[in-house]
Amino acid sequence: MLFHPPKNPIELKVRHLNEAQKQRREDLMEATQGKAALKQFKKTMAKKAKQALKAKNKKKNNESKPQVFVLDFDGDIKATAVKHLREEISTLISTANKGDEVVVRLESGGGLVHGYGLAAAQLVRLKDAGLNLTVCVDKVAASGGYMMACVADKVVAAPFAVIGSIGVVSQLPNFHKWLKNHDVDYEMFTAGDYKRTVTVFGENDAEDRAKYQEELEQTHALFKHFVNTYRPALDLEKVATGEHWYGEDALTLNLVDELQTSDSYILARMEDSEVYALHSRQKPTLAEKLGLAQAAEATLHVALDKLPDALARFELNSRLNILK
């Protein structure tokens, strides 16, 4: 990380989507219409580019083409993708111009409060730096995912994307009765009345459950306050019930601003802007580059697959030995 050196450094790759789209279009044209048509197309595009450059030079203020930066966030329950998101955002804040747009393609069904709280705070950094933030949701932005999405200046969702779930949930098993039936004592020592409330192994009473419920309600209140800060027009009493909605209903409820896929949104932005996709990843180790890690993992999977048969044969042989 930028300010916290990791064991394995993170590398950033940048892709110019305008150029990538242009190359794909030319490849398709050559395959379907032939080289002559492609040559004529290139000539026409070069002429248009020349005219655009001439018109630009005539302007008194030499304004450059707007820039759009595309980030991806695919969230798991711990929001571990924030490790890469924070790197990409730090790079953009130190490089992009005020007024540039950042598009985050967001997919997440939510997860741990502190993980998604940090992820949402990272997106707030973009707005604080004077950048315009758009979040695109193609499949799902629920619970912690919506906590991130609501920060945006504009939320764009596909028609059947799952949106909302502004609520808090917590569940855990309790083994107290099982331990008691097997004559196993469980002891826990704490300092502070509420250092522990409900537990997995201890006996939970009404006071424990009431305190734990109170903590969940406090978290829910913080969640609602956060959403209300960035989308004040929302009717929180109606949408902060833990329910989720599909895109069209979410638009009616003002949870999102537009119905559109991320692909169509980005393609439209490419017409008048230079669009760049940023992707960071953990720099591969030497073993990963040589494929040794993958080979070891494959060997382990094979061993695990064969383990049940090996144990069965061992058990059978042991029985045979005993019978002898």
Side-chain angles (χ1 to χ4, degrees), residues 153-203:
D153 299 297
K154 179 165 57 178
V155 182
V156 180
F160 285 92
V162 176
I163 306 293
S165 190
I166 304 173
V168 184
V169 63
S170 179
Q171 53 190 352
L172 71 162
N174 184 266
F175 297 97
H176 173 71
K177 290 181 179 179
W178 184 87
L179 293 174
K180 188 175 181 180
N181 290 336
H182 289 78
D183 295 325
V184 178
D185 291 329
Y186 172 76
E187 296 180 324
M188 178 173 62
F189 304 92
T190 63
D193 292 340
Y194 299 115
K195 181 60 180 177
R196 283 291 180 272
T197 52
V198 296
T199 70
V200 175
F201 299 109
E203 183 177 8

Side-chain angles (χ1 to χ4, degrees), residues 39-309:
K39 187 176 181 181
Q40 182 60 40
F41 173 74
K42 285 184 176 181
K43 190 180 291 185
T44 303
M45 294 303 294
K47 186 177 180 180
K48 286 184 178 180
K50 190 175 181 180
Q51 291 173 346
L53 182 62
K54 191 180 291 184
K56 177 183 172 183
N57 291 334
K58 284 182 179 179
K59 287 184 178 180
K60 292 181 181 178
N61 53 341
N62 189 18
E63 295 180 354
S64 58
K65 211 172 182 182
Q67 295 184 115
V68 177
F69 301 95
V70 181
L71 309 180
D72 288 286
F73 185 91
D74 189 1
D76 57 14
I77 195 168
K78 293 183 179 180
T80 52
V82 74
K83 175 175 65 175
H84 297 287
L85 181 69
R86 69 198 306 177
E87 289 291 314
E88 295 158 359
I89 288 175
S90 294
T91 302
L92 284 177
I93 289 175
S94 61
T95 307
N97 301 315
K98 286 188 176 181
D100 284 345
E101 182 181 3
V102 179
V103 177
V104 179
R105 292 183 289 201
L106 171 65
E107 301 295 338
S108 174
L112 298 178
V113 174
H114 59 276
Y116 278 92
L118 175 59
Q122 294 295 334
L123 296 184
V124 173
R125 293 175 61 206
L126 291 169
K127 297 181 67 174
D128 291 344
L131 300 173
N132 297 319
L133 176 62
T134 300
V135 166
C136 292
V137 183
D138 287 326
K139 294 180 181 177
V140 57
S143 196
Y146 189 73
M147 180 188 286
M148 293 179 66
C150 75
V151 172
D153 299 297
K154 179 165 57 178
V155 182
V156 180
F160 285 92
V162 176
I163 306 293
S165 190
I166 304 173
V168 184
V169 63
S170 179
Q171 53 190 352
L172 71 162
N174 184 266
F175 297 97
H176 173 71
K177 290 181 179 179
W178 184 87
L179 293 174
K180 188 175 181 180
N181 290 336
H182 289 78
D183 295 325
V184 178
D185 291 329
Y186 172 76
E187 296 180 324
M188 178 173 62
F189 304 92
T190 63
D193 292 340
Y194 299 115
K195 181 60 180 177
R196 283 291 180 272
T197 52
V198 296
T199 70
V200 175
F201 299 109
E203 183 177 8
N204 298 317
D205 58 24
E207 184 181 356
D208 294 329
R209 296 188 183 95
K211 180 59 180 176
Y212 196 68
Q213 183 63 41
E214 180 186 335
E215 292 171 354
L216 291 183
E217 295 294 345
Q218 289 174 349
T219 304
H220 190 209
L222 287 172
F223 191 176
K224 291 192 291 183
H225 176 71
F226 186 85
V227 173
N228 188 57
T229 300
Y230 293 98
R231 294 191 75 87
L234 273 177
D235 183 354
L236 282 180
E237 293 302 319
K238 195 171 184 179
V239 300
T241 59
E243 298 172 85
H244 67 266
W245 294 268
Y246 292 110
E248 291 190 4
D249 291 332
L251 179 64
T252 303
L253 292 167
N254 201 35
L255 288 162
V256 302
D257 302 298
E258 292 180 17
L259 292 183
Q260 197 176 15
T261 64
S262 63
D263 308 285
S264 58
Y265 182 81
I266 292 171
L267 202 60
R269 297 299 289 116
M270 286 167 59
E271 293 179 5
D272 60 357
S273 305
E274 297 295 339
V275 183
Y276 302 89
L278 278 67
H279 177 69
S280 60
R281 65 166 186 168
Q282 204 82 30
K283 198 170 182 179
T285 62
L286 179 61
E288 289 172 335
K289 288 179 179 178
L290 296 174
L292 298 179
Q294 291 87 339
E297 186 178 355
T299 303
L300 179 62
H301 282 306
V302 171
L304 290 174
D305 288 340
K306 292 183 176 180
L307 183 60
D309 291 336

